[in-house]
Amino acid sequence: MYKHTYKIILVLLTIFSTGSCLAQNHSSNFELGFFTNYSTSIYKGVDSGVESLPFLSYDSDSFFLQGTSIGYHASKEIDFSLNYNESFFDPSNSDDNNIKKLDERKGGLTAKSTIELGVLKIELEQDLSGKSDGFSANSLISVPLYHGSYTLIGSIGYTYNSEKLSQHLYSVSFAESTRTSGAIATHTSKSTHYTTYGISMIKPLSEKFTLSTDLTHIRFSDNVEASPIVTKNNKTAVEVILIYSFKTLKIV
């Protein structure tokens, strides 16, 4: 699933390095880390899965790089970025023989704009890869619940997926249905949405190391569950990230 990830990271690093040469006297933060993610799935025949990967993060006054995303700080409140998303759903991960015959719901390059106003974050994301040509709109409210030796943050979010994106994720074409001899019926999805509930804990372990954990529960709209390739309307994910922070750097 991640065979192209590091190629994309190298491309983003090249673009970022070129842009960084144009900046002068900007402070920046550089972090390396390792994350492990456990997640259930809404797709038929797909069990829960665990993924572990290293990641890097770089944030300056103007530019930022995080994993497979590279962006520009237009202001303190507004960011613009390019993002590479992995596959949304790989049928080979299912133990259902008919599901295995369907097309992969591939990810790709997207453009995202982000606005942060206090506890509110609003994101608009548009597919640029031609995989779906759809877009999503997301709003998230994050509220600090506790701050002491560790920080606890609660959040609730709402995401709208356009009809084109929803069709890419949940529809079944006539050709796909034919491959299963009609065992999986054709299906055309309309626009969909889901609600996200989360709680995060950030725990400094030392001056350099920080441990971050995130628990997220997602509930999808009824028309998502109506798809013949979906078996339930909710999923849960747990992510643990160990971060090593370098000293503030200077780009000259």
Side-chain angles (χ1 to χ4, degrees):
M1 179 178 179
Y2 289 95
K3 61 183 179 180
H4 300 302
T5 297
Y6 295 105
K7 292 182 181 179
I8 299 298
I9 289 177
L10 288 174
V11 172
L12 292 177
L13 279 171
T14 302
I15 298 173
F16 171 76
S17 298
T18 303
S20 295
C21 292
L22 302 177
Q24 294 184 351
N25 299 322
H26 284 177
S27 62
S28 58
N29 294 312
F30 180 53
E31 298 176 335
L32 290 176
F34 188 85
F35 78 86
T36 297
N37 177 276
Y38 165 86
S39 178
T40 59
S41 176
I42 63 173
Y43 288 102
K44 187 176 182 180
V46 180
D47 294 328
S48 57
V50 178
E51 300 169 347
S52 297
L53 281 175
F55 81 98
L56 60 85
S57 173
Y58 185 96
D59 196 357
S60 72
D61 294 339
S62 299
F63 299 96
F64 63 89
L65 171 69
Q66 187 170 29
T68 55
S69 298
I70 184 170
Y72 173 71
H73 295 302
S75 69
K76 290 183 178 180
E77 296 82 18
I78 302 174
D79 293 337
F80 298 104
S81 63
L82 292 175
N83 310 273
Y84 180 80
N85 295 318
E86 289 287 350
S87 172
F88 293 106
F89 170 57
D90 186 346
S92 65
N93 293 329
S94 175
D95 59 15
D96 185 288
N97 289 330
N98 286 311
I99 293 290
K100 289 179 182 292
K101 299 174 184 178
L102 304 183
D103 297 331
E104 181 179 356
R105 273 58 177 168
K106 294 182 179 180
L109 187 67
T110 65
K112 180 189 290 186
S113 58
T114 303
I115 302 174
E116 290 196 52
L117 303 170
V119 299
L120 175 64
K121 177 190 288 187
I122 299 173
E123 295 177 324
L124 299 175
E125 189 167 13
Q126 172 68 48
D127 174 55
L128 300 178
S129 66
K131 299 294 190 303
S132 71
D133 293 323
F135 72 91
S136 65
N138 173 67
S139 60
L140 181 72
I141 295 176
S142 300
V143 180
L145 302 176
Y146 173 80
H147 183 71
S149 59
Y150 63 91
T151 299
L152 200 63
I153 300 171
S155 63
I156 182 170
Y158 175 86
T159 298
Y160 168 86
N161 287 338
S162 70
E163 184 171 326
K164 287 184 177 180
L165 178 55
S166 298
Q167 287 178 355
H168 179 60
L169 295 175
Y170 311 119
S171 290
V172 179
S173 68
F174 177 78
E176 288 178 297
S177 178
T178 301
R179 280 180 234 147
T180 69
S181 300
I184 298 179
T186 59
H187 176 75
T188 301
S189 179
K190 300 298 183 181
S191 60
T192 58
H193 64 269
Y194 60 85
T195 305
T196 304
Y197 308 91
I199 188 164
S200 304
M201 185 189 74
I202 303 171
K203 170 68 175 178
L205 302 178
S206 67
E207 183 179 347
K208 297 289 187 180
F209 284 97
T210 301
L211 182 67
S212 174
T213 60
D214 297 285
L215 172 63
T216 305
H217 182 72
I218 302 174
R219 295 196 66 85
F220 296 85
S221 55
D222 291 341
N223 54 347
V224 171
E225 194 176 11
S227 168
I229 63 175
V230 172
T231 57
K232 57 181 181 179
N233 67 350
N234 66 88
K235 63 180 289 187
T236 301
V238 179
E239 187 172 79
V240 179
I241 309 174
L242 182 63
I243 302 169
Y244 179 84
S245 300
F246 290 82
K247 291 182 179 179
T248 299
L249 307 174
K250 289 287 185 178
I251 301 175
V252 179

